[in-house]
Amino acid sequence: MERKEFIKKFAYAGSILLTAPVIFSACSDGDEDLVPDDPNEPGNDLTIDLSSSAYADLGTIGGSVYENDIMIFRTSESSYLALSKICTHQGCTVAYSHENGDVLCPCHASRFSTSGNVLNGPATTSLKKYNVQKDGDILTIS
Ligand code: FES
């Protein structure tokens, strides 16, 4: 290898080593911003005011709404449930069916119970289930 070629390769390798940390750092910061707050973390409870028109669909048994990455649905006069809306197969948004008493993914037809358990694949992992407490018109999801 000639001296000129060696210097050229050395400069190229050096520039990669100097820029790599900046590139990886930028990627890391961006990913963190896309992750929503987890209601299971202390201080991150999700509060739903049922008197708000934004949640009018929860006024009807069988109704559902999406808030952040959570699907909240009403299964009876006094029962509300909350599951992750993100299908564990490939991330599509699931939907509650009151008529069938289940949660269906429209992408590849995975079916989940209202507890989030897999009834039919291709998904193999349950949907995350959240605790729901009702106090007057306020639902607290944690
Ligand atoms: S993304 Fe839901 S079944 Fe494939």
Side-chain angles (χ1 to χ4, degrees):
M1 180 181 307
E2 291 188 23
R3 182 172 182 234
K4 191 174 179 182
E5 187 179 335
F6 173 78
I7 291 172
K8 196 173 169 183
K9 284 185 178 179
F10 183 79
Y12 177 73
S15 66
I16 289 174
L17 288 174
L18 288 175
T19 57
V22 173
I23 292 169
F24 290 125
S25 173
C27 291
S28 175
D29 288 342
D31 289 347
E32 290 168 11
D33 292 339
L34 296 175
V35 177
D37 289 341
D38 186 343
N40 280 329
E41 294 294 320
N44 286 341
D45 288 353
L46 176 63
T47 302
I48 302 283
D49 184 350
L50 295 172
S51 66
S52 166
S53 60
Y55 305 112
D57 287 351
L58 291 176
T60 307
I61 295 172
S64 63
V65 297
Y66 298 100
E67 188 68 36
N68 299 331
D69 284 338
I70 299 173
M71 176 179 65
I72 302 113
F73 50 102
R74 186 173 182 179
T75 56
S76 70
E77 193 62 44
S78 59
S79 177
Y80 298 83
L81 299 174
L83 298 173
S84 168
K85 73 174 189 180
I86 300 171
C87 180
T88 56
H89 178 230
Q90 290 182 354
C92 290
T93 298
V94 298
Y96 171 61
S97 168
H98 184 66
E99 295 74 28
N100 297 327
D102 63 9
V103 174
L104 186 66
C105 178
C107 291
H108 310 105
S110 283
R111 204 165 63 91
F112 302 88
S113 71
T114 55
S115 299
N117 296 326
V118 177
L119 299 175
N120 293 102
T124 57
T125 304
S126 300
L127 296 171
K128 184 172 184 175
K129 184 175 183 182
Y130 296 91
N131 294 318
V132 180
Q133 289 189 321
K134 185 175 185 292
D135 183 13
D137 282 342
I138 304 297
L139 290 183
T140 302
I141 294 135
S142 57

